[in-house]
Amino acid sequence: MTTLKQLTHKQWFAVLVLVVGIIIIWYIAALLMNGNQMINMLERTGQSWTYTQIFEGAYGIQRPPLPVPHQVAYELYDSIFNNAITSKRSLLYHTQITLNSTLLGFILGSLLGIIIAIGIVHNRTLDTSLMPWVIASQTVPILAIAPIVVVVLGSMNLTGILPKAIISMYLSFFPVVIGMVKGLRSADKLHTELMITYNASTQQMFWKLRWFSAQPYLFASLKIGIAAALVGAIVAELPTGAQGGLGARLLSGSYYGQTVQIWSALVMSALLGWVLITLVGLAERFILLRRGIS
């Protein structure tokens, strides 16, 4: 127990050092980028400048090329706590919209991935014919597919959350397929031979052996899948011209040069991804602990 506590303290210290290092580098980069912009602007207008003036101004520009951490933190605080959750100015409002698309796309993608993996493992024809197409599907850029999906579904009067969920599903199903195929084939050879000796049926072989051996691989792929689903949901909000969502927030910020708004949406999406992956990890720990796997 003491060793685990010490390891945990070391991990937290390592994370803290990394975060502090990133913040320091962030401030230095902002000073260089924002300072150069100020110098160029002052020189074009024929004004004199000092390094102290540039240092102070680099961290206070309203629309800086690179916002500094305290500007992003204030934008997050103002957007979350000073606006109603139903307001379009609230990041929680946009996060909720993106979260709905992410979860629906993740559920659909996970189910599709598991079904395809089961078919590939149990059918040699599917293994040789379908698996190459599954791999090839991920070579097409999502930015090229997203507008096509939106237009096709729009012509069928399917709008709203469904097109975004389908795009999210497209990105999330692939890691689930790969992980489940590997997991279903990872059953111990001796256990498999023992089941054959007991004359177990295909269903018994699946539920009593393959499914349990695949669970660690499944949860590893689900962590990747839910992160990919979030990326897909955000990307899907760009061609749809959505009025809400983190993708729409990024798009409106780029239109009006609101770099602080863009960065706050990026930080919020990163936090959302971390929360979702953590929840999948907690589900994995709960299920594997019930099986006696620590």
Side-chain angles (χ1 to χ4, degrees):
M1 184 63 69
T2 304
T3 304
L4 291 175
K5 287 184 177 180
Q6 291 176 350
L7 182 61
T8 302
H9 291 318
K10 290 180 181 179
Q11 289 176 338
W12 278 111
F13 179 75
V15 171
L16 180 62
V17 171
L18 179 61
V19 170
V20 172
I22 291 175
I23 291 176
I24 292 174
I25 295 173
W26 191 344
Y27 270 105
I28 294 174
L31 176 62
L32 295 175
M33 294 181 63
N34 301 344
N36 285 333
Q37 185 189 56
M38 287 191 62
I39 292 173
N40 293 333
M41 181 181 65
L42 292 172
E43 289 181 347
R44 282 199 304 267
T45 58
Q47 301 181 47
S48 59
W49 53 273
T50 63
Y51 286 106
T52 302
Q53 179 185 2
I54 298 301
F55 183 83
E56 294 175 351
Y59 297 138
I61 303 176
Q62 293 298 318
R63 296 182 180 181
L66 179 60
V68 286
H70 68 264
Q71 288 177 312
V72 177
Y74 176 78
E75 176 67 19
L76 285 169
Y77 177 85
D78 181 65
S79 176
I80 293 173
F81 296 102
N82 294 336
N83 293 282
I85 194 172
T86 55
S87 171
K88 291 185 177 181
R89 294 175 178 265
S90 173
L91 267 177
L92 292 179
Y93 168 81
H94 295 283
T95 302
Q96 180 184 359
I97 294 175
T98 301
L99 179 61
N100 294 336
S101 304
T102 300
L103 292 179
L104 180 57
F106 172 67
I107 293 172
L108 295 175
S110 299
L111 292 176
L112 178 63
I114 292 172
I115 292 171
I116 292 176
I118 293 173
I120 288 175
V121 170
H122 289 87
N123 191 304
R124 189 178 299 274
T125 302
L126 288 178
D127 188 13
T128 56
S129 62
L130 185 58
M131 194 62 173
W133 286 102
V134 171
I135 297 173
S137 69
Q138 301 302 302
T139 62
V140 182
I142 187 62
L143 289 175
I145 294 178
I148 299 174
V149 173
V150 172
V151 171
V152 171
L153 294 181
S155 64
M156 301 168 59
N157 294 324
L158 296 175
T159 58
I161 190 175
L162 186 59
K164 295 184 289 185
I166 290 178
I167 296 169
S168 181
M169 177 190 71
Y170 172 80
L171 284 184
S172 64
F173 91 98
F174 178 73
V176 178
V177 172
I178 301 301
M180 278 297 291
V181 168
K182 178 66 175 178
L184 292 172
R185 288 173 173 169
S186 66
D188 187 87
K189 186 176 181 180
L190 293 178
H191 293 167
T192 304
E193 292 176 351
L194 181 62
M195 293 288 288
I196 295 174
T197 303
Y198 288 157
N199 197 27
S201 65
T202 303
Q203 291 183 352
Q204 290 174 326
M205 184 79 74
F206 176 81
W207 290 112
K208 296 183 181 295
L209 181 61
R210 291 186 184 276
W211 175 251
F212 286 99
S213 65
Q215 286 180 8
Y217 295 88
L218 173 62
F219 280 106
S221 62
L222 288 179
K223 293 177 183 178
I224 302 174
I226 199 164
L230 176 60
V231 173
I234 293 175
V235 171
E237 290 167 352
L238 302 179
T240 59
Q243 299 300 314
L246 293 175
R249 188 79 168 172
L250 291 171
L251 195 61
S252 64
S254 64
Y255 281 158
Y256 300 104
Q258 298 289 348
T259 52
V260 179
Q261 175 181 313
I262 294 174
W263 276 82
S264 63
L266 288 174
V267 172
M268 180 60 77
S269 65
L271 291 174
L272 178 60
W274 174 77
V275 170
L276 292 174
I277 293 173
T278 301
L279 291 176
V280 174
L282 291 175
E284 175 188 19
R285 184 177 181 184
F286 174 76
I287 291 176
L288 294 185
L289 281 176
R290 292 192 63 181
R291 290 180 49 194
I293 302 176
S294 57

